[in-house]
Amino acid sequence: MRRWEKIIELLKRYHFLTYRQLITLGVSTTNSNLSPIVRGLVKDGYVNEWKKPTYESFFYLSKKGARRFNGLGRGRYQKRPIDMDHRLRTVDVEILLNKHNLKYCSKYYDPGKQTNIPLLDKSFEPDLIGVISTSKQEELYLVEVEQGVDVKKIVSKIELHALALRVGAVPNHLGFKRGYRVLIVVEDKKIIDRVLKRVSEEIKTSFKENFLVSSDLSEWCNLGKQKRKLYYEK
């Protein structure tokens, strides 16, 4: 597959990507090598770019590109979507899970999304739901991407997921009969200690291993701040 074709296929899958993410996905090794290819797609009208000083540029399929390559296209954004940094960080998590044989993924901004989960008389919506297939079994993850330093908000998300675990809301909705994990992705490593101190002992006792927390998507810990892997194959 030629590199421009790979870029198109990746944009069809992830919807939004930056230079950094395209490099992570193996399209090229440097911006300088990648830029002429992306610029060509932009010039031909198949890809749109949102670019402003002080912000990370991102790319997405144009409506013309969607018609040509059978994907989801979007018109040009006049303003940067207010949640774009959050979307791009969610894509980072999807890229990570895809390295581990991602079999299913639904994000909160996907067309036909399946992220709304009934919970008692209400519902809640994680940022991403993903299933990976390991050599041992399938693993289900619900992902919350938290930006900023609002510790109270992050703890509230953990409490909400603890309630969902307690009443079996996710297995009932998704038909996944095994246990699953909630990935909490925060912006700064320093926040992790503050968050874990605020989580109740009851939740830590009952659901310590159901949550994994990280700021860099490489090192994870449970609610007891013990290091953990995304999954174990033995």
Side-chain angles (χ1 to χ4, degrees), residues 37-84:
I37 306 168
V38 179
R39 295 291 177 204
L41 291 170
V42 172
K43 183 179 179 181
D44 291 340
Y46 296 130
V47 170
N48 287 333
E49 177 185 15
W50 197 95
K51 182 179 180 181
K52 290 281 186 179
T54 74
Y55 286 99
E56 188 175 25
S57 299
F58 64 88
F59 304 94
Y60 55 98
L61 276 184
S62 67
K63 291 184 178 180
K64 177 182 176 181
R67 289 192 298 270
R68 174 67 175 80
F69 300 107
N70 192 30
L72 174 67
R74 292 174 169 86
R76 292 187 179 277
Y77 289 112
Q78 299 302 312
K79 295 182 179 180
R80 185 182 177 91
I82 192 169
D83 70 332
M84 183 50 64

Side-chain angles (χ1 to χ4, degrees), residues 1-211:
M1 183 182 293
R2 290 169 291 186
R3 284 193 287 180
W4 72 264
E5 292 174 311
K6 188 171 184 179
I7 292 170
I8 293 293
E9 289 303 311
L10 290 171
L11 288 175
K12 285 170 62 176
R13 175 167 190 159
Y14 294 103
H15 303 308
F16 304 99
L17 289 169
T18 65
Y19 278 119
R20 170 182 57 81
Q21 291 168 331
L22 286 167
I23 289 171
T24 298
L25 288 163
V27 178
S28 185
T29 56
T30 64
N31 281 12
S32 59
N33 290 333
L34 185 58
S35 181
I37 306 168
V38 179
R39 295 291 177 204
L41 291 170
V42 172
K43 183 179 179 181
D44 291 340
Y46 296 130
V47 170
N48 287 333
E49 177 185 15
W50 197 95
K51 182 179 180 181
K52 290 281 186 179
T54 74
Y55 286 99
E56 188 175 25
S57 299
F58 64 88
F59 304 94
Y60 55 98
L61 276 184
S62 67
K63 291 184 178 180
K64 177 182 176 181
R67 289 192 298 270
R68 174 67 175 80
F69 300 107
N70 192 30
L72 174 67
R74 292 174 169 86
R76 292 187 179 277
Y77 289 112
Q78 299 302 312
K79 295 182 179 180
R80 185 182 177 91
I82 192 169
D83 70 332
M84 183 50 64
D85 288 338
H86 187 265
R87 292 189 188 195
L88 292 173
R89 190 58 167 157
T90 304
V91 170
D92 285 334
V93 179
E94 184 180 1
I95 291 171
L96 169 69
L97 294 178
N98 199 40
K99 292 178 180 178
H100 298 279
N101 201 13
L102 183 63
K103 293 297 185 182
Y104 169 82
C105 181
S106 183
K107 302 183 291 294
Y108 73 97
Y109 57 85
D110 284 344
K113 63 182 181 180
Q114 296 181 324
T115 47
N116 280 307
I117 300 174
L119 178 60
L120 300 179
D121 58 342
K122 298 181 180 180
S123 66
F124 73 105
E125 184 177 34
D127 295 319
L128 182 152
I129 297 174
V131 177
I132 65 172
S133 180
T134 73
S135 61
K136 182 180 179 182
Q137 61 197 9
E138 289 189 336
E139 301 282 353
L140 170 66
Y141 299 97
L142 272 60
V143 180
E144 298 286 1
V145 174
E146 296 297 324
Q147 296 182 296
V149 294
D150 191 340
V151 173
K152 184 178 180 181
K153 178 188 173 189
I154 300 171
V155 172
S156 294
K157 286 284 184 72
I158 292 174
E159 292 171 346
L160 181 65
H161 280 279
L163 175 60
L165 283 160
R166 190 172 287 114
V167 302
V170 173
N172 289 341
H173 178 65
L174 297 176
F176 194 86
K177 302 306 181 184
R178 296 184 49 257
Y180 64 94
R181 282 183 168 149
V182 181
L183 305 184
I184 305 292
V185 180
V186 300
E187 197 168 22
D188 192 322
K189 187 176 182 179
K190 296 177 183 178
I191 298 174
I192 295 177
D193 282 341
R194 294 169 57 195
V195 168
L196 296 183
K197 286 179 182 178
R198 294 276 296 273
V199 176
S200 72
E201 289 303 318
E202 188 275 329
I203 289 177
K204 289 179 182 177
T205 300
S206 300
F207 304 112
K208 180 173 69 173
E209 300 297 344
N210 293 94
F211 291 85

